[in-house]
Amino acid sequence: MKKQNLTTVSICFVFFVFFFMFQSKYVSLVSNSKVSRSTIIDQGKKDLVSKSTKNWVLDHHSPPPLHSPRGRLITCDRSHQYYDLCSINGPTVLDPATSTFFLQGPSTMTFPSMFKEKIRPYPRKFENFVMKGIKELTITSAPQRPKCEIQHNVPALVFSAGGYTGNFWHEFNDGFIPLFITVSSVFPDQDFVLVISKARHWWVNKYAELLQAFSKHPIINLDNDTVAHCFTSATLGLISHGFMNIDPALIPNSRTFIHFRAFLEKAYGSHGQIHPSKNNSPLVRPRLVLVSRRDSLGRVINNEAKAKLVLEKIGFDVIVFEPNPGTPLNEAYAIINSSHAMVGVHGAALTHSLFLRPGSVFVQVVPLGLDWVAQVCFAKSARAMRLEYMEYKIKAEESSLVEKYNKNDLLIKDPVAFRGKNWSEDIMNIYLKEQNVNFDLVRFGEYFKQVYKKAKQFMDKER
């Protein structure tokens, strides 16, 4: 089973490394071009910036953990595939200049020996290439600790927003879903402060409402803070259950994706959007969000305008949604949360399906050669959220690849056999970047009559 997981991990990693490299360039341009505008933020966003872990797992190079009368003071769990998790189970002081957390005990307390541990708090430890770019933090019992300048009477939760941040899928898969799992596991009924490295200005502004839903306290930015902060304890790292997964069996209070969806509602659901069922003029037509990739490299719907007309003829009220890195999430949430169905070609933008209400319809258009990644990245989470999940798998005739390759080539007839175990850069380029979609509008129309029926049933239940 572990071997199979590692294979899936490796395949999905290569796919998203390539997508991220393209996306991150664009995010950089967007964030740079909007510096002047994004510095004028509301007071809430200005204010935003300012124990149940497993037992210690020893390796052959680590000294034994320190002990207090009540138990271990410093623990690290390194037994997991995706993440490491370290805890300081007592008062600690952070020196941001050296990214070091010092164990802070009474002046009369002495330790048997000086202890030091290091951690990169990002939940993709299986990828050395990515982890090299994550800031390494130190935990130590060294007596030469800085004097406390700001006292927080709550614990710290420490992680990195580096890595693949800039890709919308990764921002949830490697960021907010593990953060939700960690808070549910370690701080289910506790207040805490978020201490974040790589908390870049654009990221903090984009996710201000969501970050405030996790913690009411201003974020401590590990990269530009200059004063020593003291906490009652600290947890370093984020717990991950794998790609787009929340396993209730691994969380003390059995949290699921339904609970995560409710948490998103808490963050974004109070911004004045009108719920369809509460509108004074009840909808006659189910609302469908068509996710557009018009300016993307690959997987563009070439006949999107005609497909929209087909959907409207079937009976949908169609909203074309073309998100970009600067799209305000409260606006995106309002659009998608108020819809009854959503459809789009596989890509990071389909992460917006997290904003769909349980019971609504989510259709993922799956191009040739992408069945496996469609399942790993979106299908599992959609079902866990109790969406009516459907897939429109395009035929060879609907792929632009038939214009470049022979219809009888293995890469079109049997992409799985063509790819084998070798998801190389060249193969990836074929299926992700060279391939666009031309819907067979007759087939498309027949399929979406089924979607309409499900969406209409969902809409009628709300009345």
Side-chain angles (χ1 to χ4, degrees):
M1 186 69 179
K2 277 190 176 180
K3 198 168 182 182
Q4 186 180 6
N5 283 343
L6 284 170
T7 303
T8 304
V9 163
S10 300
I11 291 172
C12 216
F13 158 59
V14 177
F15 164 71
F16 279 106
V17 161
F18 230 71
F19 187 86
F20 171 73
M21 288 172 68
F22 172 78
Q23 181 89 349
S24 60
K25 238 178 188 181
Y26 181 64
V27 169
S28 177
L29 289 172
V30 170
S31 60
N32 288 338
S33 67
K34 295 190 178 179
V35 168
S36 59
R37 185 182 68 84
S38 60
T39 53
I40 304 172
I41 54 179
D42 60 41
Q43 188 59 42
K45 292 184 179 179
K46 283 183 181 176
D47 291 343
L48 191 63
V49 186
S50 165
K51 262 166 183 151
S52 40
T53 60
K54 291 199 173 180
N55 288 334
W56 172 270
V57 178
L58 289 171
D59 62 43
H60 297 296
H61 306 289
S62 299
L66 294 169
H67 288 268
S68 72
R70 294 187 179 181
R72 294 170 174 139
L73 291 175
I74 297 176
T75 64
C76 281
D77 181 355
R78 302 188 184 277
S79 65
H80 301 277
Q81 175 188 349
Y82 293 94
Y83 67 93
D84 291 332
L85 194 73
C86 291
S87 297
I88 304 172
N89 303 306
T92 180
V93 56
L94 163 65
D95 178 11
T98 59
S99 301
T100 301
F101 285 82
F102 292 85
L103 186 61
Q104 188 180 32
S107 57
T108 56
M109 179 179 282
T110 58
F111 302 116
S113 61
M114 199 279 282
F115 179 81
K116 182 184 285 187
E117 189 57 79
K118 292 183 180 292
I119 183 173
R120 298 180 191 270
Y122 188 69
R124 294 186 78 90
K125 78 174 196 180
F126 55 87
E127 292 178 359
N128 292 332
F129 169 78
V130 178
M131 295 303 287
K132 285 177 182 177
I134 303 299
K135 177 180 282 190
E136 188 174 62
L137 309 181
T138 302
I139 305 169
T140 183
S141 62
Q144 299 84 12
R145 55 183 179 263
K147 184 179 179 181
C148 182
E149 296 176 80
I150 299 177
Q151 177 68 52
H152 304 271
N153 295 317
V154 293
L157 176 53
V158 189
F159 67 95
S160 173
Y164 292 125
T165 298
N167 175 289
F168 192 53
W169 184 84
H170 279 286
E171 286 163 7
F172 278 86
N173 181 71
D174 307 325
F176 292 110
I177 293 173
L179 179 56
F180 177 80
I181 292 170
T182 307
V183 170
S184 299
S185 301
V186 182
F187 303 113
D189 300 305
Q190 263 187 291
D191 199 6
F192 56 89
V193 174
L194 293 172
V195 180
I196 310 175
S197 69
K198 287 291 183 184
R200 288 161 285 192
H201 185 70
W202 68 263
W203 180 82
V204 172
N205 275 282
K206 179 176 181 178
Y207 291 108
E209 294 91 347
L210 191 52
L211 290 165
Q212 287 173 330
F214 278 109
S215 174
K216 65 184 180 183
H217 300 283
I219 288 169
I220 296 175
N221 190 325
L222 202 50
D223 300 317
N224 60 22
D225 210 306
T226 57
V227 299
H229 294 262
C230 292
F231 306 94
T232 58
S233 63
T235 297
L236 291 77
L238 294 179
I239 301 170
S240 172
H241 293 166
F243 290 142
M244 295 297 279
N245 188 36
I246 299 175
D247 187 344
L250 301 177
I251 302 178
N253 51 12
S254 302
R255 288 290 187 258
T256 67
F257 250 109
I258 294 296
H259 295 98
F260 181 67
R261 175 61 179 75
F263 188 79
L264 295 176
E265 171 69 18
K266 173 185 172 183
Y268 296 115
S270 57
H271 294 277
Q273 70 264 32
I274 299 174
H275 192 284
S277 63
K278 296 177 182 178
N279 197 330
N280 290 332
S281 303
L283 292 172
V284 177
R285 298 161 66 88
R287 184 175 297 150
L288 178 142
V289 174
L290 173 60
V291 182
S292 177
R293 294 179 54 89
R294 275 180 293 208
D295 295 326
S296 301
L297 180 61
R299 289 160 287 144
V300 175
I301 302 173
N302 288 336
N303 56 350
E304 182 180 293
K306 291 180 179 178
K308 179 176 180 286
L309 290 174
V310 170
L311 292 169
E312 289 172 339
K313 187 175 180 180
I314 290 170
F316 284 110
D317 175 19
V318 181
I319 298 173
V320 177
F321 177 57
E322 192 170 358
N324 61 63
T327 301
L329 286 189
N330 57 347
E331 292 180 13
Y333 187 90
I335 292 169
I336 295 163
N337 182 63
S338 62
S339 70
H340 306 95
M342 174 175 158
V343 58
V345 180
H346 174 84
L350 294 192
T351 310
H352 288 93
S353 60
L354 294 172
F355 297 167
L356 287 167
R357 289 168 292 147
S360 54
V361 188
F362 173 36
V363 184
Q364 182 174 195
V365 176
V366 184
L368 295 182
L370 299 182
D371 293 56
W372 56 271
V373 77
Q375 287 295 313
V376 168
C377 297
F378 298 112
K380 187 175 181 180
S381 58
R383 295 184 180 109
M385 281 177 54
R386 299 177 191 165
L387 302 179
E388 282 283 349
Y389 177 73
M390 302 173 71
E391 287 183 351
Y392 182 93
K393 297 184 179 182
I394 71 168
K395 301 286 188 183
E397 296 78 11
E398 296 175 289
S399 171
S400 64
L401 293 178
V402 294
E403 299 167 10
K404 186 172 182 179
Y405 301 94
N406 190 299
K407 189 176 176 180
N408 294 316
D409 281 353
L410 195 62
L411 74 87
I412 290 178
K413 286 179 64 178
D414 192 346
V416 175
F418 174 74
R419 184 181 73 242
K421 295 182 180 179
N422 178 32
W423 187 245
S424 67
E425 182 178 331
D426 290 339
I427 292 175
M428 181 171 62
N429 284 340
I430 291 172
Y431 292 117
L432 293 175
K433 294 186 176 181
E434 293 182 18
Q435 182 174 203
N436 290 322
V437 174
N438 293 289
F439 287 127
D440 174 339
L441 295 176
V442 174
R443 177 176 179 250
F444 180 82
E446 287 301 313
Y447 185 88
F448 273 83
K449 286 177 183 177
Q450 303 171 46
V451 178
Y452 175 83
K453 190 178 293 184
K454 290 177 181 289
K456 183 74 161 56
Q457 287 173 350
F458 176 58
M459 183 182 75
D460 291 342
K461 281 181 184 178
E462 295 180 318
R463 293 178 174 176

